[in-house]
Structure formats: structure tokens, C-alpha cells
Amino acid sequence: MKWVPPDAVSAKALAAYRNRRARWIADPVAAESDALSIALHPPSEVRVADDPDAAVAWVREWHRYSGPGRVDWESRRWRDFGTQQVPVRLVLSSASEIAAAAGRASEWALLGMRQRRLVTGLGPGTPTLAAAVASTHTRWMDLEEQDFATLVAVVRWLADHPASGMFIRQLPVPGVDTKWVSRHRGLVETLLDGVRGDRDLGVRSLPRMCEVAVCDRSLLPAAPRIFATPLAELAALPLHPAITLVLENKEGLHALPDLASTVALHGAGYSVHELADVPWLAASDVVYWGDLDTHGFAILDRFRRHLPNVRSLLMDPVTVENWRHLGVPEPTPNSNVPEHLTESERAAFDLVRAENLRIEQERLPWPYVLDRLPGDGSQFSV
């Protein structure tokens, strides 16, 4: 093995630094007694004989080494070269020395300072707080100073108010809004778990609003034709439609004409299954119309797992074949294979998946759609 020069120390120290950093953060006291021994693999007499100038230069480099750690030297007694002192190992005897050798001294200093601020600011916490701080270090060490200070303040406030019932924007912590929490929610929850033993923020979330189109005004005469309502209030509406049409996209909902005994809802993508708990919807003939792509069929599959009698509209191979020229490549196809599709839906799914195709429902010519809106049921995939 080639003898190790001083300029190779950094890479070896960096590998150790990255592997041990989380453990050091969890136990800073033990970190300062940790050590790394880097073998320098001094040359044998045969190697010295092959290139004595290189061997001498290598030894001189280590004599001049002024970096962190301690260089250990040993005597070598060689027949042709006599007794020589050669460097055999570099010993880095603390996390600080390893970090310095790795070129990460400033980063380690920042980590140590922030670790202390977290433990002091969030403590005493549970026995798992140190582990929570360590496991999240790659996220909090990259925060700007203002965001880091906000993080400490938010977790401390949530720990002190476990069931505030406030909305995020109401928290009396400067700089906190819904976007801040959404960006850092996983980090906040993990640290809160370390402080309090659970991840519940104790705050209220804005309800998911469902857009509704009352396509037969006689079903709800006093309401606007199109309105939005929280899901819980949607379930309480005095509606008894014969048909509930659920659309993947909002544009189609707003374009719908008057339809006898029909209410239309925006399904909100993969949240569509939440509609299955609406009693009047479950009691009606439920029709789902989604995009012709892998995600559209995955959403239909999820909906049908909760409402087995859901039928589909315009999600058939004939529609795919007729209007494939209006499609575009699907940027991120869903890799799962739906299990709850009819034979016709399966054929359409296989087409769009094989061709990496997306035909958004709004792209279908509107006269074609109007001719196939819920009526006698013959237009549905079965």
C-alpha cells in the first residue's frame, strides 16, 4: 500500500467526520474523547530502495506537518539504510481535531453552538431529546440564523402550549406563518417529540374546502349554483341527488351545464376518498371523471376502494384513441398498478401507461363531453 502523504489526511478525516457527526451531536462530552487513528503506511526497505528520493521527501513532508493531531514516529532498522525514524500514524484525539483535519472546523463549531442552543432552549425534555436533535442536524444546521431562532422559539412555544387550538398564523412567535410551518413541519414535529414525547402540534388546520356545483338548482334552491364548503359542512347539506359527479379538476366543474338531479364536486386529487364519508353522496349514483393518465386511474382506484360502486366517465380506451393527439407526455407517472379497475378502464390505463400519455379532462372537446354526461348510464365504463 502506498504511504499516506499529509494532503490525503483530509479525505480520511472527512469520511470519519460524516460518519460520526450525528453521534457526536447526541453526546458532545463523548465527542471530545473520540479519536481517529490514520495509518500512514511507511514504506518498506524494498520500496525505499526503489525510490529513495520519494521516500525522503515523504518523511520531510511529515516533519513539516503542522495540522491538527499527533504524528507518531517509530524506528526502522534497515540493512542498507541503517536506523531511520518514520511516521507511522496520525492520531486525531477529539471531534474538534477530526473536524479540523476534515476542513470542517467552522461547521463543527456551528453545530456545537446550535446543539447547545437547542438543548438549552428546549430542555429539559425527554430522554430522547438528544437523539432528536442529532437525527435532525442536517436540517437545522443549514437554516439561516433567523429561521434557526424561529425554530427554537416555535418548538418551545408548542411544548409549553400542547393544545392551543390556534391556527398556525395565530401563534405569537415572530416570523411564523403557514408556509414556514409547512416547510419545517417534520423538523418541528421530531424536536417536539423529543421535548414532550409526542408530535402533535396542538394547532388547528384550515379545513379542506370542497367546491360544489348544484347542476339541478331545485336540489338546493337557496344556495349559489357553485360554492365552496368545508367537508364537514358538505356532509350536512340537505342534498339528495340521484347522481353525484366527481371531477378531478376545477375547470370542468365550472363549465358543467344544468343536469337533472345532479350535483358535481371537485375531488381534490388523491383526497377524493374523503368524499366517501358524505352520506348523501354515498347514497347516490357516484360517477368519477378524471384525467386520462396514470394518476387519474390511481385516483379512481383509491375512490373505488372506499366506494366500490363508483363508475367512471370518459376513462375508456375509445376516448384515449379518439383524442390521443390532444395529450402530452406525463412528467411523473404513478408507478403503482391500480387493482380496482373495470376491464374497459384497465385497457385505457394500459394505453396511457404504455405511451406515457396524459390527456387532461379539460382538453377533451366540449361537445364530445356534453354528449356523454350522466344520463341513462350507457356512457359509463363498466
Side-chain angles (χ1 to χ4, degrees):
M1 181 176 289
K2 182 69 173 177
W3 51 82
V4 177
D7 60 11
V9 166
S10 178
K12 294 179 181 295
L14 182 59
Y17 173 77
R18 287 173 172 165
N19 289 334
R20 303 182 189 186
R21 186 173 58 188
R23 188 170 75 239
W24 293 341
I25 294 169
D27 191 347
V29 174
E32 290 312 303
S33 62
D34 201 356
L36 174 66
S37 178
I38 300 175
L40 304 182
H41 304 290
S44 64
E45 185 174 12
V46 173
R47 298 289 298 278
V48 172
D50 287 342
D51 194 347
D53 291 340
V56 169
W58 176 75
V59 171
R60 286 176 177 169
E61 280 188 275
W62 278 108
H63 273 298
R64 293 192 296 268
Y65 177 74
S66 59
R70 181 190 76 247
V71 181
D72 288 344
W73 297 75
E74 291 182 358
S75 294
R76 293 288 190 270
R77 187 185 298 275
W78 293 323
R79 184 182 60 188
D80 294 332
F81 299 100
T83 300
Q84 303 290 334
Q85 293 290 317
V86 295
V88 294
R89 72 185 62 83
L90 173 67
V91 179
L92 303 168
S93 57
S94 68
S96 297
E97 285 196 348
I98 297 171
R104 295 292 190 272
S106 59
E107 180 183 279
W108 177 240
L110 175 65
L111 283 167
M113 179 184 68
R114 288 191 167 182
Q115 185 271 349
R116 290 188 292 274
R117 286 173 64 185
L118 283 167
V119 172
T120 302
L122 303 181
T126 71
T128 64
L129 177 58
V133 170
S135 69
T136 56
H137 76 275
T138 57
R139 285 179 279 175
W140 52 255
M141 78 173 182
D142 289 332
L143 294 177
E144 296 293 334
E145 176 56 30
Q146 180 57 53
D147 277 332
F148 181 78
T150 300
L151 173 68
V152 177
V154 166
V155 177
R156 182 68 266 163
W157 193 93
L158 292 171
D160 291 340
H161 303 82
S164 72
M166 288 185 173
F167 289 110
I168 293 296
R169 289 182 183 270
Q170 293 179 300
L171 297 186
V173 179
V176 178
D177 58 22
T178 304
K179 291 182 179 179
W180 191 95
V181 174
S182 65
R183 288 197 306 271
H184 306 294
R185 185 161 190 144
L187 173 57
V188 170
E189 289 176 339
T190 302
L191 292 175
L192 186 62
D193 192 23
V195 177
R196 206 177 60 202
D198 68 76
R199 302 169 64 89
D200 185 5
L201 303 186
V203 298
R204 296 168 62 192
S205 298
L206 290 174
R208 179 166 86 81
M209 302 296 287
C210 182
E211 288 210 32
V212 183
V214 183
C215 299
D216 184 339
R217 301 302 301 279
S218 68
L219 293 172
L220 203 62
R225 186 179 189 275
I226 296 179
F227 60 93
T229 182
L231 204 60
E233 294 184 18
L234 177 71
L237 290 176
L239 281 168
H240 302 285
I243 297 171
T244 302
L245 178 60
V246 180
L247 287 75
E248 184 172 342
N249 301 326
K250 293 182 180 181
E251 289 80 358
L253 185 82
H254 284 258
L256 288 173
D258 291 341
L259 298 167
S261 196
T262 299
V263 170
L265 304 175
H266 175 231
Y270 284 98
S271 298
V272 69
H273 64 283
E274 296 175 359
L275 297 175
D277 294 328
V278 176
W280 57 260
L281 177 145
S284 68
D285 183 12
V286 183
V287 180
Y288 179 73
W289 177 25
D291 290 338
L292 289 165
D293 60 10
T294 58
H295 289 278
F297 286 100
I299 294 167
L300 171 61
D301 180 67
R302 174 174 290 192
F303 200 13
R304 193 170 277 150
R305 287 202 302 268
H306 291 81
L307 280 179
N309 294 328
V310 171
R311 296 190 287 171
S312 67
L313 173 67
L314 299 172
M315 300 182 74
D316 55 79
V318 173
T319 301
V320 176
E321 294 286 2
N322 284 347
W323 308 109
R324 66 190 334 139
H325 63 283
L326 299 177
V328 296
E330 187 176 17
T332 54
N334 189 307
S335 59
N336 296 323
V337 177
E339 299 178 358
H340 302 85
L341 300 183
T342 66
E343 183 178 342
S344 175
E345 293 160 357
R346 172 69 63 183
F349 169 78
D350 289 341
L351 277 172
V352 298
R353 182 176 61 167
E355 299 181 21
N356 191 36
L357 189 64
R358 163 180 283 175
I359 308 173
E360 293 178 300
Q361 58 185 191
E362 301 91 342
R363 298 287 291 155
L364 298 179
W366 201 238
Y368 181 85
V369 174
L370 293 178
D371 287 344
R372 290 158 179 80
L373 286 173
D376 61 8
S378 61
Q379 71 277 19
F380 299 125
S381 172
V382 294

